[in-house]
Amino acid sequence: MRKDKLYLLTFLSLSLVFLIISSVAIRYFVNEAAEKVLETQLEFSQREAKQVAMLIGNQLENGMSKEVSIKSIQQSIENSNLDAGFVSVFNWSGDIVCHPDVKQLGQSISNKESFISSVSDKVTSQDLYKLLQKREDIDDTPSLKNNQDSEVIFIYPVANSDWIVGAHANTFKVSQQIKKIRSNFQIILLVMGFLFILSSVLIVRLIGSKYEKKLEIKNEKLSDEIINLSKLNSALDTYQQQVSDRSLLNEDVDSSTKKRILTYVRNELVSVSTEDIAYIYTDMGITYVLCSDGKRSTSNSSLDELYTNLDNTYFFRANRQFIIAISSIDKIVKYGNNQLKILINPSSEVDIIISKNKAAEFKKWLNL
């Protein structure tokens, strides 16, 4: 249940992050793409308007009458495709003198919401895009419902006349093109986002499964170690009871072992019973004998010499530094890599560690 909740939270977190990133990305990429489209439209329209204006100006300069010139231009642009950009010619009063749609001839453009307000205006792709966005925000704008709606995006005066050539852009078609770009970006991001989130969740689940397997293996090993330590401590209790019972019955021990050893407390010679010894250890070359009551004395003998004369039933050589008595062992715990740590009473300032190689001998000593 916890794993399913983790995967669900992972999915929701990735989805939230993706939505935030994608919302910013869509706006940025759509703006960039729209401005590129509008920039191309502007460049084409400006070039076409200038060429038509220069053509009419050259005709007039070469003596062609206005009527013939305007008739020639009307014939060339008449029935042009209004879905794309087109040009028209109007006078300074705003009356249309040339237009692809002959029905527009003689009408005034002053009653239309033209984007260009003066000859000096310089239209940029950002300006046109802002206009389109403004119109999109008005849902009931009639022009958005008319696929023939156009906007004058560039004007250029005709030399030697009172005419102006205007470049039109079909704002409805341009808006539809930008909407299509936005829709394509959204679809692509949604597909990519779904694949990304799905793959991320699967990867998290795969990594989590592998990690769980490793944890299970570690838990199994830990359980085995706990069971082994439990058996070891149980054997310790059993052996300590056996030693205690033997001591109460005063059973004979090996005559080669000593029941007492001579130690020193300062300059005083003290005889210590082996039954009272908790452990013997060396520090800085000095051999110390610590009794169960916490009293400490020193010995002139080395650990090797002492261990030779001690009863191996009661004492064990844990390592080079310690000889421990069975009665002083409080608990056995795992330490490091297959090593054992002996907790004794009275406690020792130095950890008593039984190495991996010595552990088998220690278990055998406890009759395991």
Side-chain angles (χ1 to χ4, degrees):
M1 186 68 182
R2 290 183 178 179
K3 293 188 292 184
D4 295 337
K5 187 176 181 180
L6 174 62
Y7 298 143
L8 177 61
L9 290 175
T10 302
F11 176 80
L12 294 177
S13 300
L14 290 174
S15 300
L16 179 60
V17 172
F18 176 78
L19 286 175
I20 295 173
I21 295 176
S22 61
S23 62
V24 177
I26 287 176
R27 180 175 298 180
Y28 173 78
F29 286 122
V30 170
N31 287 348
E32 289 294 318
E35 288 185 5
K36 290 294 182 183
V37 171
L38 296 176
E39 186 176 352
T40 302
Q41 178 73 38
L42 281 172
E43 289 179 356
F44 174 78
S45 299
Q46 290 173 359
R47 184 169 58 250
E48 186 178 17
K50 288 180 180 180
Q51 289 176 349
V52 173
M54 291 175 64
L55 175 62
I56 298 174
N58 290 333
Q59 289 177 346
L60 296 177
E61 187 177 359
N62 292 328
M64 182 179 291
S65 65
K66 287 186 176 182
E67 291 77 8
V68 175
S69 177
I70 207 67
K71 184 178 180 180
S72 173
I73 297 299
Q74 177 62 33
Q75 289 177 350
S76 63
I77 66 173
E78 192 171 327
N79 296 323
S80 298
N81 186 3
L82 298 180
D83 291 343
F86 62 92
V87 295
S88 67
V89 182
F90 49 89
N91 56 30
W92 283 99
S93 299
D95 298 328
I96 299 174
V97 295
C98 285
H99 197 281
D101 185 4
V102 294
K103 295 179 182 179
Q104 300 293 328
L105 297 178
Q107 296 186 16
S108 176
I109 64 169
S110 60
N111 60 346
K112 296 188 176 186
E113 294 181 2
S114 178
F115 185 59
I116 302 299
S117 58
S118 67
V119 178
S120 61
D121 287 340
K122 184 178 181 180
V123 183
T124 64
S125 57
Q126 291 88 347
D127 296 330
L128 184 54
Y129 186 45
K130 288 178 181 178
L131 173 70
L132 296 177
Q133 286 182 315
K134 183 178 180 180
R135 286 196 170 189
E136 287 180 1
D137 293 337
I138 307 175
D139 296 334
D140 58 348
T141 302
S143 60
L144 291 177
K145 301 177 182 179
N146 182 10
N147 59 9
Q148 299 298 324
D149 181 56
S150 65
E151 191 75 38
V152 178
I153 59 175
F154 181 74
I155 58 176
Y156 196 83
V158 178
N160 304 315
S161 72
D162 61 346
W163 294 333
I164 299 174
V165 177
H168 297 250
N170 191 320
T171 52
F172 177 81
K173 292 295 182 181
V174 174
S175 296
Q176 292 300 312
Q177 189 174 3
I178 294 174
K179 287 181 180 179
K180 186 176 181 181
I181 292 173
R182 184 185 294 111
S183 177
N184 290 339
F185 271 122
Q186 289 173 343
I187 293 173
I188 292 173
L189 283 174
L190 285 175
V191 173
M192 290 178 61
F194 175 77
L195 294 176
F196 169 75
I197 294 172
L198 180 62
S199 60
S200 298
V201 172
L202 291 176
I203 291 173
V204 169
R205 186 166 186 175
L206 179 62
I207 295 174
S209 298
K210 289 184 177 180
Y211 184 69
E212 287 172 5
K213 289 181 180 179
K214 290 182 179 179
L215 284 180
E216 288 177 0
I217 294 173
K218 287 183 178 180
N219 288 336
E220 289 177 0
K221 291 182 178 179
L222 183 59
S223 298
D224 293 339
E225 290 173 356
I226 291 173
I227 293 172
N228 292 333
L229 285 175
S230 178
K231 291 180 179 179
L232 195 58
N233 282 284
S234 177
L236 171 64
D237 294 338
T238 302
Y239 191 49
Q240 284 177 333
Q241 185 63 41
Q242 291 175 355
V243 171
S244 177
D245 293 342
R246 186 180 300 176
S247 177
L248 291 173
L249 293 173
N250 293 319
E251 292 184 356
D252 293 335
V253 296
D254 190 350
S255 59
S256 63
T257 61
K258 293 183 177 181
K259 291 187 177 181
R260 306 188 70 84
I261 61 173
L262 294 176
T263 62
Y264 295 89
V265 178
R266 296 184 180 86
N267 295 325
E268 181 182 353
L269 187 63
V270 178
S271 177
V272 177
S273 173
T274 56
E275 294 181 357
D276 296 332
I277 297 175
Y279 56 90
I280 306 171
Y281 69 99
T282 61
D283 186 21
M284 302 295 291
I286 302 174
T287 302
Y288 294 94
V289 179
L290 195 75
C291 294
S292 300
D293 58 4
K295 293 181 179 180
R296 188 175 69 168
S297 56
T298 61
S299 174
N300 290 333
S301 301
S302 64
L303 285 185
D304 291 334
E305 294 172 345
L306 291 173
Y307 188 62
T308 302
N309 296 317
L310 292 173
D311 185 0
N312 293 340
T313 304
Y314 300 95
F315 293 93
F316 181 78
R317 181 71 179 270
N319 50 45
R320 293 180 179 180
Q321 192 178 0
F322 280 88
I323 297 173
I324 56 177
I326 184 66
S327 59
S328 67
I329 301 176
D330 185 38
K331 189 180 293 184
I332 304 169
V333 297
K334 185 179 180 297
Y335 183 85
N337 186 18
N338 296 324
Q339 295 176 326
L340 298 176
K341 181 178 179 181
I342 308 300
L343 303 180
I344 57 177
N345 186 24
S347 61
S348 170
E349 294 180 356
V350 181
D351 290 339
I352 303 175
I353 308 299
I354 297 179
S355 66
K356 177 181 178 181
N357 298 330
K358 197 82 171 178
E361 182 182 347
F362 179 68
K363 293 176 182 179
K364 185 177 180 181
W365 181 62
L366 294 177
N367 294 324
L368 283 181

